Amino acid sequence: MPMLRGFLTLLLFLILGEGLRFMFSWPVSGGVIGMLLLTSWLMLTGGASDALANASQQLISILILLIMPGVVGVFFLGDRFDGQWTAVVVGLIAGTFLSVLTTLLVLRRLISKQPAGERCD
Amino acid sequence: MTEFLQRLGHTLPHLQQSPALSVLLTLIAYFVAVAVFRKLRQPVWCPPVLLAGLLLAAMLWLGSISYPNYQAGATWLTFLLGPATVALGVPLYQQFHHVRALWKPILVTIPLAATVAVIYALAIAWALGGSSEVLASLAPKSVTAPIAIGINQQIGGSVSLLMGGLLVTGVVASLFVDWLASRLGITDDRLIGLTLGINGHAIGTVRAFEISAQAGAFSSLGMGLTGIFTALTLPIALQLLNIL
């Protein structure tokens, strides 16, 4: 039951986000708007109920299960992207290598400038 | 007897009409993959999602179940990505004190890293002859799946290619963070966690939780903020550039 009550809250914010997205034709998905609304709501009201925290944690812990039906589609693309696989694979791997390197260097530079007191959280 | 054999032949097609078979196969692949992953002592190069995807593809192929058929049944699972996106707001709220403590580096790094992640990948893919459909499919590659699918609905491209891109990005980001962090002498779990979440979305975050709870918390934060930033800016940026 508590799990369902949390799920109800999530669905309410999802519908609210999707409704706003449609009404104002925002280029962002209803889920993202719902997430931002939920975060703001929690900051205003000062906390997530156990039911909501539970339901959220359960859903997030099965994210991999939820993306599997989409992921497996890549094995059934057939010849639709023939001749472009080099672009796809090199773009993904080299692009990710460069962005990981950039992120690490930028963060190291910025965080090492923080006072020592703030470093040990 | 012949009538029974005939019915036997029609059993699998009949079962395919209900979502139960799709959901069942997905769950089997998921649990087997998680068990194998633990048996192999959690290798970075082979996360459960990769194992599960291969296993599921093999099962569909062996059962000669077509992908659109499977996908129709699996909408029972993929629907939950909507509420799961909203659910990401809860850890975001819970970790908000981290944002406050490190707000400057985080606020500078996330827009920068999320932007260059898109630019690097698209520039390389474009230089190697990727079509505009390929580029649109790869653009949200560093964003967590539920948000990436939302972006995909806005900017177009192939969902299957996007999901494959997410898989590759998550796996190689985890590998590169491990390798580069030790090369650069970076040992701060907060920094490693943020980098995993920014570049490797949910797959990187699962990896970060294997390192430490603190790395996991920072990774969730990096994943959430990267997702929000990309969702808010990418569709508008592409609209402005009008390149797609």
Side-chain angles (χ1 to χ4, degrees), chain B residues 33-78:
Chain B
V34 169
V36 171
F37 179 67
R38 295 223 174 101
K39 262 260 152 69
L40 294 175
R41 276 178 289 170
Q42 317 196 333
V44 185
W45 50 269
C46 192
V49 64
L50 181 60
L51 284 169
L54 288 169
L55 212 59
L56 186 55
M59 287 198 288
L60 296 181
W61 183 74
L62 286 174
S64 52
I65 300 168
S66 77
Y67 180 64
N69 233 326
Y70 159 78
Q71 207 184 13
T75 42
W76 281 73
L77 288 174
T78 45

Side-chain angles (χ1 to χ4, degrees), chain A residues 22-85:
Chain A
F22 183 78
M23 273 191 286
F24 298 100
S25 61
W26 282 335
V28 182
S29 73
V32 175
I33 298 168
M35 168 177 69
L36 294 173
L37 289 173
L38 179 63
T39 311
S40 324
W41 172 254
L42 293 176
M43 286 204 264
L44 284 173
T45 56
S49 67
D50 286 350
L52 177 61
N54 248 324
S56 301
Q57 209 218 325
Q58 304 248 6
L59 268 178
I60 293 169
S61 72
I62 57 162
L63 263 183
I64 281 175
L65 176 72
L66 304 183
I67 66 173
M68 275 172 57
V71 166
V72 78
V74 81
F75 299 110
F76 297 90
L77 279 172
D79 51 8
R80 192 161 144 208
F81 294 105
D82 267 7
Q84 307 213 44
W85 287 107

Side-chain angles (χ1 to χ4, degrees), chain B residues 132-192:
Chain B
S132 57
E133 193 191 6
V134 165
L135 298 187
S137 312
L138 297 186
K141 70 168 188 86
S142 299
V143 177
T144 185
I147 302 182
I149 289 175
I151 298 175
N152 181 273
Q153 284 162 4
Q154 305 296 328
I155 68 173
S158 153
V159 180
S160 295
L161 187 58
L162 164 63
M163 298 299 264
L166 286 180
L167 177 65
V168 174
T169 304
V171 174
V172 300
S174 306
L175 277 173
F176 290 149
V177 172
D178 263 32
W179 191 72
L180 284 171
S182 62
R183 293 246 138 175
L184 296 168
I186 294 169
T187 49
D188 188 335
D189 276 3
R190 298 174 307 171
L191 213 154
I192 291 173

